[in-house]
Amino acid sequence: VFYLFRSYFFEKKFGWHKKYNVPMNIEFLIHRYGELVMLLLGESVLSILIVSSINTVEYHVTFYAAIVSIVLLQYSHYKYQPHSPREHACRRSLRGSVTHYAIMIVYCHALVAVGTAYKMFLSTYEVEASLKNKDLRHLVTTLMSRNLAGAADKTKFTTFEHKAATANLFCISMAIVWLCLEFMWISHVGRAKYWAFVTTKQGIFCDVLRTIGVFLMGTISYYTVEPEWVTLIGLLGICFEIVTTVITRYFWDKQFGDFEDDDDGHWPNVTEPDSVPNEHVDEHDDQA
C-alpha cells in the first residue's frame, strides 16, 4: 500500500520513477498478465472437475453452466484488454500503471472467489446426497473436517445457509470482476478520453446497460439461492455483459477509431513487437 501511495503521488513529481525503476517491457507484461488470468480460470475449472459427480439434473445444469461461464469470463477479459503496448496503461502514464496494478490485485482475488463459489455450489449437491442417504461418515468428512473439537454432533450451517452464503459469495465476486474490468479499461484509455465518451448519448446508453448488469449480478442471491438457478442467471448475466462490451466497443471505435490501432488482421490476443527493421537501412545496405 505504501508503494502504491508513493508511486501515485510522489514518484512522477520528483522523478523517482526514472531514477530508481527499471524500464518495463510492456509486451512481456501483457503476456504474463494474460497467463496469470488463464491460470486462475484454469484452477477454477480444475476445482469444479474434482468435485464428486452426482447423477441429478440440477448438478449437471450447475456443472455445465459453470464451465461455460468460466470460458466466457476468459473471453470477456481479453475483450477488455489492449494487446498493443501503445494502448496499455503502463505505457500511457505512471498513474495509469499504478492504478492498473492495484486493480489487477483485486481482480485476481475476485476470480479466485468466483471459482470457489462454483465449487461450493457443486459441493452443495454432494452434501444433500449425503443427507438423503444418511451417509454420516461422508457428511462429517465433507462438512466437519475443519471444525473445532467438539463440533462433531452437528453442522455449523444448515443446507439453506450454505446455499445462501455461496450465492452471496458468487454474486459479490462476480460484480467485483465486472467493476474491475471497467476500471482497468479506464486506466488504459485515460480519464479524459473516457469522460469524453460517457458524456455522449451512446456512452450514457452503454454505461446504463453496464450499471444494470452489475446491479442485477450483485443481487441474484436476493431472488434465489438454488445453485442451478444462480449459475444459470449468472451465465445469462455474463452473456449480457459481453454483448454490452461489444456495443461499447462499436460506439468507441466509431468515435475514437480502433481501440487496438491494429489493422494487420492478426488474432486479437496476439501481440506483435513494435521494433521492426528499418526499410531505409535495408535499402542502404542493398546499394552498398
Side-chain angles (χ1 to χ4, degrees):
V1 175
F2 173 76
Y3 172 76
L4 295 176
F5 180 81
R6 186 195 69 180
S7 301
Y8 195 86
F9 291 102
F10 298 107
E11 283 207 356
K12 187 174 182 180
K13 180 179 180 180
F14 297 105
W16 295 342
H17 62 298
K18 296 182 179 179
K19 292 181 180 179
Y20 306 113
N21 294 338
V22 178
M24 187 178 297
N25 188 331
I26 309 299
E27 291 177 332
F28 182 72
L29 180 71
I30 294 173
H31 174 70
R32 298 299 286 178
Y33 272 146
E35 285 186 341
L36 174 61
V37 172
M38 291 181 65
L39 176 64
L40 295 176
L41 294 176
E43 289 292 336
S44 299
V45 174
L46 180 61
S47 66
I48 293 173
L49 296 177
I50 63 176
V51 178
S52 300
S53 178
I54 307 298
N55 192 21
T56 61
V57 175
E58 293 81 3
Y59 175 89
H60 288 92
V61 169
T62 305
F63 176 83
Y64 288 110
I67 294 294
V68 175
S69 298
I70 292 175
V71 173
L72 293 179
L73 280 176
Q74 181 182 10
Y75 175 81
S76 178
H77 169 79
Y78 289 115
K79 195 70 177 176
Y80 266 95
Q81 304 303 315
H83 306 288
S84 169
R86 296 182 298 272
E87 302 289 344
H88 200 273
C90 294
R91 177 67 62 85
R92 185 180 62 82
S93 67
L94 174 63
R95 289 185 174 180
S97 174
V98 174
T99 303
H100 179 267
Y101 174 75
I103 295 172
M104 275 297 299
I105 296 175
V106 180
Y107 176 70
C108 291
H109 283 82
L111 288 179
V112 173
V114 169
T116 303
Y118 282 131
K119 180 180 179 180
M120 293 174 65
F121 279 140
L122 296 177
S123 299
T124 301
Y125 297 110
E126 187 178 5
V127 173
E128 290 180 340
S130 299
L131 288 172
K132 187 178 296 184
N133 298 328
K134 296 183 178 180
D135 188 355
L136 297 181
R137 180 177 179 182
H138 181 69
L139 178 63
V140 170
T141 303
T142 304
L143 292 179
M144 315 296 292
S145 58
R146 293 186 179 274
N147 287 346
L148 297 176
D153 294 332
K154 59 181 180 179
T155 61
K156 185 177 180 181
F157 300 104
T158 64
T159 304
F160 177 80
E161 291 173 340
H162 184 270
K163 290 181 179 179
T166 306
N168 289 332
L169 175 64
F170 173 79
C171 296
I172 295 173
S173 57
M174 189 65 75
I176 293 175
V177 166
W178 286 12
L179 290 175
C180 288
L181 286 174
E182 183 71 11
F183 287 124
M184 275 194 284
W185 181 49
I186 297 174
S187 69
H188 291 311
V189 301
R191 290 176 299 177
K193 203 171 183 179
Y194 178 79
W195 181 254
F197 174 71
V198 298
T199 52
T200 62
K201 293 181 179 180
Q202 297 85 351
I204 294 174
F205 173 72
C206 294
D207 266 15
V208 169
L209 289 180
R210 201 175 305 280
T211 302
I212 292 174
V214 172
F215 176 78
L216 292 178
M217 180 61 72
T219 57
I220 295 176
S221 58
Y222 284 94
Y223 318 128
T224 179
V225 296
E226 296 300 325
E228 62 273 16
W229 285 109
V230 175
T231 51
L232 277 177
I233 297 174
L235 175 58
L236 294 176
I238 295 173
C239 295
F240 176 81
E241 189 269 343
I242 291 176
V243 172
T244 304
T245 302
V246 172
I247 296 174
T248 304
R249 290 291 296 272
Y250 170 77
F251 288 128
W252 179 275
D253 293 343
K254 194 174 181 181
Q255 181 173 350
F256 297 107
D258 191 2
F259 178 75
E260 302 295 339
D261 192 24
D262 183 13
D263 55 356
D264 56 5
H266 287 290
W267 287 91
N269 60 342
V270 176
T271 301
E272 295 294 339
D274 283 341
S275 56
V276 295
N278 193 329
E279 298 180 357
H280 299 289
V281 175
D282 294 340
E283 292 177 358
H284 178 74
D285 293 339
D286 294 337
Q287 292 177 0

